[in-house]
Amino acid sequence: MKKIILLFLLSSIGFAQNINQYNYALVPAKFSFLKENNQYNLNLISKLYLKKYGFEAYFDNEDMPNEFASNNCNKVFLDVISCGNLFTTKLKVILKDCKNKIISTSPEGKSGEKEFQLAYNQALRMAFDNWSELKAHNFQPAEKSIEVNKENEKVTETKTIINENLFSPATSLFAKPTAMGYQLLTNNTNVPVLVLTLQKTSLPTVFIASENGQMGVLIQKYNQWYFEYYIQEGLVSRLVNISF
C-alpha cells in the first residue's frame, strides 16, 4: 500500500513539473467533431479558459508572435473530444505536447440538455471548471541548457538559423495527396521532382516532413509555410512556396 501511495505522489509531482513548463497554448479554430470554426463558441471558450489559468493562448489560424510561432515545442496543443450519446452530451479536454504525448486530460463534462448550443457549452464549462491540474498551472520556465568552456569562459546557446532560400521564390511546389499526407513536387519543371514528403498530424497547420532523409516539421506561420529542422545545435527554418 505504501508503494502505491509513493508511486502516486511521484507521478503527481512529475505531472506538475510537466504542465508548468509551458506558457503558451495553441487552440484549433475548429474541433474535429464539429463542422464549423468556433461552432457553439467552444473554441473561444477553450481559449478564454486557458488564458484565465495563465496560458498565453492563440488560435491556429490567427497571427502569432515570433516567439510563439518559431518553436513548435514551446507550447501545449489543446483538443476537445466528444464522447457522449443520443441522450447525454459528454466532452473531455486534453493537452498534448509537440510529440503528440498527452500531458493532461480534464474530467468529463456532461449535460442532458437537448439544445446543442446549451448542451455543449454546459459540458465544456464543467470539464474546465473541474480540471484541478489546469487551475494549478503556474508557468515555471526551464533553465536554458548552456555549455561553459572553462578555458575561455565562453557561453554558447542553441541558435536559430533562418534560411529563406530553400527554393527560389519563383519555384512553387504543388501538393499531391497520399494516404498519410502529401508529396510536394516541383510545379515548374518539365518532370515533377519530389522535394518534401509530408505526414498529417492532428493540426492542419503542422506536418511531419522529410527531405532526403532530413526529418523536421512543416508549419504555417503568418500565412506562409516553413520547413524546420535541427542541424547539430542550430534550428533551421526555411520558407517553402506551396500550392495546396
Side-chain angles (χ1 to χ4, degrees):
M1 185 65 179
K2 291 182 179 180
K3 291 183 178 179
I4 295 175
I5 294 174
L6 178 59
L7 288 172
F8 175 79
L9 290 174
L10 290 174
S11 63
S12 298
I13 293 171
F15 170 79
Q17 291 173 340
N18 198 349
I19 194 172
N20 289 337
Q21 292 175 2
Y22 298 96
N23 185 39
Y24 297 118
L26 188 67
V27 181
K30 183 181 80 69
F31 294 125
S32 59
F33 63 94
L34 297 175
K35 297 180 180 180
E36 301 175 6
N37 284 2
N38 195 33
Q39 193 167 3
Y40 308 123
N41 282 328
L42 298 189
N43 304 75
L44 179 58
I45 291 172
S46 298
K47 180 180 177 181
L48 292 176
Y49 264 102
L50 288 175
K51 295 179 73 172
K52 176 181 178 180
Y53 294 120
F55 283 97
E56 187 173 334
Y58 296 89
F59 289 130
D60 59 11
N61 63 349
E62 70 176 315
D63 289 341
M64 309 167 191
N66 287 334
E67 185 177 353
F68 181 95
S70 62
N71 182 357
N72 206 36
C73 290
N74 67 350
K75 62 184 72 69
V76 293
F77 298 84
L78 179 141
D79 197 10
V80 174
I81 299 173
S82 176
C83 47
N85 51 46
L86 292 175
F87 306 102
T88 306
T89 298
K90 299 179 182 179
L91 297 177
K92 283 186 178 181
V93 188
I94 60 174
L95 295 178
K96 295 183 179 181
D97 64 14
C98 62
K99 298 180 180 179
N100 209 35
K101 179 182 177 181
I102 294 178
I103 298 173
S104 179
T105 303
S106 75
E108 188 176 77
K110 301 178 182 180
S111 175
E113 295 289 339
K114 295 181 180 180
E115 199 273 317
F116 285 144
Q117 176 84 30
L118 183 57
Y120 277 123
N121 274 257
Q122 285 184 349
L124 184 63
R125 290 179 184 276
M126 180 184 292
F128 274 109
D129 288 338
N130 294 328
W131 199 350
S132 58
E133 291 86 357
L134 180 66
K135 291 181 178 181
H137 171 250
N138 181 23
F139 175 53
Q140 298 173 356
E143 295 182 1
K144 290 184 178 180
S145 177
I146 59 176
E147 296 178 0
V148 179
N149 187 328
K150 294 183 179 179
E151 294 181 0
N152 53 21
E153 296 185 350
K154 290 184 178 180
V155 178
T156 59
E157 298 183 6
T158 300
K159 299 179 180 179
T160 300
I161 305 169
I162 305 294
N163 183 349
E164 300 289 348
N165 297 316
L166 175 58
F167 310 105
S168 166
T171 302
S172 64
L173 305 177
F174 71 92
K176 178 183 176 183
T178 65
M180 300 184 67
Y182 298 93
Q183 288 182 334
L184 298 187
L185 307 169
T186 53
N187 200 26
N188 55 352
T189 56
N190 293 330
V191 178
V193 178
L194 176 63
V195 178
L196 288 171
T197 301
L198 306 182
Q199 291 181 319
K200 294 179 181 179
T201 69
S202 59
L203 296 173
T205 56
V206 180
F207 294 88
I208 299 171
S210 173
E211 179 204 15
N212 295 326
Q214 176 64 62
M215 298 298 298
V217 294
L218 184 78
I219 62 173
Q220 189 179 52
K221 301 184 291 186
Y222 306 106
N223 296 319
Q224 292 182 306
W225 291 95
Y226 291 84
F227 177 42
E228 297 190 344
Y229 55 92
Y230 277 93
I231 295 181
Q232 296 178 352
E233 76 281 3
L235 174 64
V236 180
S237 182
R238 293 179 169 179
L239 179 65
V240 185
N241 184 11
I242 307 172
S243 298
F244 278 102

